Amino acid sequence: MYFTVLNSLVSAGLCTKLATIPPHFVSELPYIYVITPTYARSVQKAELTRIANTFSHIKNLHWIVVEDSDERTNLTTHFLFHCGINYTHLHIRSIEHKRRGVEQRNIGLAWLRHNREPNVSRGVVYFADDDNTYSIEIFEEMRYTKKVSIWPVGLTFEARYETPIIGPDNKVKSWHAWHSTERKFATDMAGFAINLNLLLNNPHVWFDNTTRDGFLESSLLSQLVELNDLEPKADNCTKVLVWHTKTITPVFSEDKTWNLEI
Amino acid sequence: MYFTVLNSLVSAGLCTKLATIPPHFVSELPYIYVITPTYARSVQKAELTRIANTFSHIKNLHWIVVEDSDERTNLTTHFLFHCGINYTHLHIRSIEHKRRGVEQRNIGLAWLRHNREPNVSRGVVYFADDDNTYSIEIFEEMRYTKKVSIWPVGLTFEARYETPIIGPDNKVKSWHAWHSTERKFATDMAGFAINLNLLLNNPHVWFDNTTRDGFLESSLLSQLVELNDLEPKADNCTKVLVWHTKTITPVFSEDKTWNLEI
């Protein structure tokens, strides 16, 4: 029922889209579809600005920005219109405030399934939160993903990085990561990309908002691939090219009377 | 004495430089010299990565990166070598740990005075810390600064932004900012840029590490210009194009045994 609603939300046009074709377009290159959940907060425009400065280096990137909101906000609408990146702007309110991102990523998937054609469209799907840090290299690493590519993520929960452990056959054997024995795919959301057609040809696959916290990624990937299918990137997982950075939420003083809209 | 030492450090070659000419070079455009103090910490490579992703959009940008260190570190050396930006890599240990950045910015100034020729070189000098967020627009706003250009900064101390207040004659009259009545120039370090020749022709002007905390910017600018000289940018200071973001320092768990060097 939930997933039917997601698809019908997109097909009914309740989630509108805007798109432009920026200069970074090369017809023979597969697309990189970046799905970014976002929500209104004091540091939002700064965070969107700096990831847009990264994404705007990448050829054939299509940015699917999904607001946690009942409608498209002016800030994000205005920002995207001027960002110079090919984009689609969606919105959906989270069912549970404490688990931001699940509905937003799912409606991004629904948009792709409604707007891209299986076995014709070429590309890769990457879930990139707006507070993380991305090197430019990681996008070229992921562009030709056959099924699911995988790499280390820096500054993850309690560790300087988390990473797949690669065996002598260049296959993923296990993980250096939080709850690595319980999670079949012990990766952070920023640590993998999925071939577009694998998602289009498996239309029943969604993020499951009933999983335990931290098991979202493993639950999704378990529906699509086996450990043996993973394609290690970033020099066989020996480099950190993505970081799970977090920005301090500033506390504003109420007696600052110059808090006007500028 | 202190300032003589700074100059002699540069002239003795103790602060080495490396430079490359990247593709973003247009001979008729003035240079933007960005001076960035940096220091070793867990989020350093992530922060350098995302500001480099911004700076690499800018034509004729020369990045002067100054480490708070007794020697150039491997991390920063390797990072700069591969960042694709024209750069100079310096280092100087802070005199006082609690006031990071003062000696680093001063040795950046000393390098410019030793390597650029007054009334011949053309450009602007901007002090950009490695944790802030910069829109691309702000660099074109500052490029043709005659003396000192000025603009709002978002997410500053206790306020959503701080800004110069502009009078009907388009001149700066006062400030919406912390300690605005006590500071002649109540701007954040990220809120102004200085014409290169103004600094080269005033070789006695340095950041003063004996000023009160928060008065560093005002003290420097007071030696160079009057309020009336300031050139308001960012649509007459009605837009925020720079944000004083701060990144959370992660706390790593000691029992994570995969903390190897990758």
Side-chain angles (χ1 to χ4, degrees):
Chain A
M1 174 58 190
Y2 164 68
F3 302 121
T4 312
V5 169
L6 277 179
N7 269 322
S8 64
L9 264 176
V10 171
S11 61
L14 289 175
C15 302
T16 54
K17 88 181 166 92
L18 293 169
T20 54
I21 298 293
H24 283 328
F25 180 77
V26 182
S27 61
E28 59 267 31
L29 280 184
Y31 263 87
I32 296 173
Y33 294 96
V34 176
I35 297 178
T36 299
T38 189
Y39 66 99
R41 60 203 192 276
S42 58
V43 300
Q44 184 187 26
K45 193 169 179 188
E47 309 254 51
L48 290 174
T49 297
R50 57 185 170 188
I51 56 164
N53 288 351
T54 297
F55 294 169
S56 58
H57 282 289
I58 315 303
K59 290 186 175 67
N60 291 26
L61 186 145
H62 186 108
W63 194 13
I64 301 170
V65 178
V66 193
E67 291 196 78
D68 184 348
S69 170
D70 289 325
E71 55 187 6
R72 291 188 293 154
T73 65
N74 287 341
L75 185 149
T76 307
T77 302
H78 187 262
F79 176 84
L80 288 173
F81 190 79
H82 293 93
C83 77
I85 299 173
N86 198 18
Y87 70 91
T88 293
H89 184 183
L90 308 174
H91 64 89
I92 187 168
R93 174 71 73 186
S94 287
I95 295 170
E96 283 185 279
H97 177 74
K98 71 179 177 64
R99 297 201 69 182
R100 289 186 189 281
V102 180
E103 281 77 28
Q104 288 73 35
R105 294 184 196 105
N106 276 337
I107 209 156
L109 290 177
W111 185 88
L112 282 168
R113 284 166 178 154
H114 195 76
N115 290 277
R116 292 297 178 268
E117 199 175 339
N119 308 323
V120 175
S121 304
R122 285 195 313 148
V124 63
V125 180
Y126 182 48
F127 302 98
D129 292 352
D130 61 359
D131 51 354
N132 288 344
T133 301
Y134 308 92
S135 73
I136 291 170
E137 298 95 296
I138 198 62
F139 296 94
E140 297 316 316
E141 295 269 338
M142 75 175 72
R143 192 183 294 277
Y144 290 96
T145 297
K146 292 183 191 74
K147 289 184 175 177
V148 170
S149 55
I150 196 117
W151 52 82
V153 177
L155 307 172
T156 43
F157 180 70
E158 290 196 7
R160 201 159 58 77
Y161 65 86
E162 291 185 349
T163 184
I165 300 171
I166 312 300
D169 58 353
N170 292 336
K171 295 284 185 183
V172 175
K173 294 299 161 205
S174 54
W175 312 86
H176 283 315
W178 175 82
H179 276 232
S180 60
T181 52
E182 289 176 68
R183 298 192 296 163
K184 184 169 179 184
F185 299 90
T187 174
D188 184 90
M189 194 64 74
F192 64 92
I194 305 174
N195 181 284
L196 174 65
N197 270 293
L198 190 61
L199 285 166
L200 299 183
N201 288 318
N202 289 281
H204 56 284
V205 171
W206 302 95
F207 284 104
D208 176 5
N209 62 2
T210 65
T211 59
R212 287 167 59 190
D213 281 347
F215 283 67
L216 208 56
E217 299 89 341
S218 189
S219 148
L220 184 89
L221 293 176
S222 298
Q223 302 173 69
L224 291 167
V225 282
E226 293 298 325
L227 209 60
N228 198 45
D229 292 320
L230 295 178
E231 302 148 46
K233 301 291 180 183
D235 275 358
N236 233 11
C237 297
T238 60
K239 286 183 182 168
V240 173
L241 300 176
V242 184
W243 295 264
H244 200 159
T245 37
K246 291 189 178 297
T247 304
I248 290 173
T249 302
V251 178
F252 300 139
S253 165
E254 283 184 21
D255 67 350
K256 294 290 181 287
T257 53
W258 62 85
N259 270 343
L260 309 170
E261 192 64 44
I262 73 168
Chain B
M1 175 57 190
Y2 164 67
F3 302 123
T4 313
V5 169
L6 277 179
N7 269 322
S8 64
L9 263 175
V10 171
S11 62
L14 288 175
C15 302
T16 54
K17 87 181 165 91
L18 292 169
T20 55
I21 298 294
H24 284 329
F25 179 77
V26 182
S27 61
E28 59 267 30
L29 280 184
Y31 262 88
I32 296 174
Y33 294 97
V34 175
I35 297 178
T36 300
T38 189
Y39 66 99
R41 61 202 191 276
S42 57
V43 299
Q44 184 186 28
K45 193 169 178 186
E47 310 256 49
L48 290 174
T49 297
R50 57 184 169 189
I51 56 166
N53 287 351
T54 297
F55 295 168
S56 57
H57 283 288
I58 316 303
K59 290 186 175 67
N60 291 26
L61 185 144
H62 186 108
W63 194 13
I64 300 170
V65 178
V66 193
E67 290 196 79
D68 184 348
S69 171
D70 289 325
E71 56 187 6
R72 291 188 293 154
T73 65
N74 287 340
L75 185 149
T76 307
T77 302
H78 186 260
F79 175 84
L80 288 173
F81 190 79
H82 292 94
C83 76
I85 300 173
N86 198 18
Y87 70 91
T88 293
H89 184 183
L90 308 174
H91 64 89
I92 187 169
R93 174 72 72 187
S94 287
I95 294 170
E96 284 183 279
H97 177 74
K98 71 179 175 67
R99 298 200 69 182
R100 289 185 189 280
V102 180
E103 280 78 27
Q104 288 73 34
R105 294 183 195 106
N106 276 336
I107 210 156
L109 290 177
W111 184 88
L112 282 168
R113 285 166 178 153
H114 196 75
N115 291 278
R116 293 296 177 269
E117 199 174 340
N119 309 323
V120 175
S121 304
R122 285 196 312 148
V124 63
V125 180
Y126 182 49
F127 302 98
D129 291 352
D130 61 359
D131 51 354
N132 288 343
T133 300
Y134 308 92
S135 73
I136 291 170
E137 298 95 297
I138 198 61
F139 296 94
E140 297 315 317
E141 295 268 338
M142 75 175 72
R143 192 183 296 276
Y144 290 95
T145 298
K146 293 181 189 75
K147 289 184 174 176
V148 171
S149 54
I150 195 116
W151 52 80
V153 177
L155 308 173
T156 44
F157 180 70
E158 290 195 5
R160 200 159 57 79
Y161 65 87
E162 292 185 348
T163 184
I165 300 171
I166 312 300
D169 58 352
N170 292 338
K171 295 285 186 181
V172 175
K173 293 300 161 205
S174 55
W175 313 85
H176 282 316
W178 175 82
H179 276 232
S180 60
T181 53
E182 289 177 67
R183 298 192 296 164
K184 184 171 179 182
F185 298 90
T187 175
D188 184 89
M189 194 64 75
F192 64 93
I194 306 173
N195 180 284
L196 174 66
N197 271 292
L198 190 62
L199 284 166
L200 298 183
N201 289 318
N202 288 281
H204 56 284
V205 171
W206 303 94
F207 284 103
D208 176 5
N209 62 3
T210 66
T211 58
R212 287 167 59 190
D213 281 348
F215 284 68
L216 209 55
E217 299 89 341
S218 189
S219 148
L220 184 89
L221 293 176
S222 298
Q223 302 172 68
L224 291 167
V225 282
E226 293 299 324
L227 210 60
N228 199 45
D229 292 321
L230 295 179
E231 301 148 48
K233 301 290 181 184
D235 275 358
N236 234 11
C237 298
T238 60
K239 287 183 182 167
V240 173
L241 299 176
V242 184
W243 295 264
H244 200 159
T245 38
K246 290 189 179 297
T247 304
I248 291 173
T249 303
V251 178
F252 300 139
S253 166
E254 283 185 19
D255 67 351
K256 296 289 182 286
T257 52
W258 61 85
N259 270 343
L260 309 169
E261 193 65 43
I262 74 167

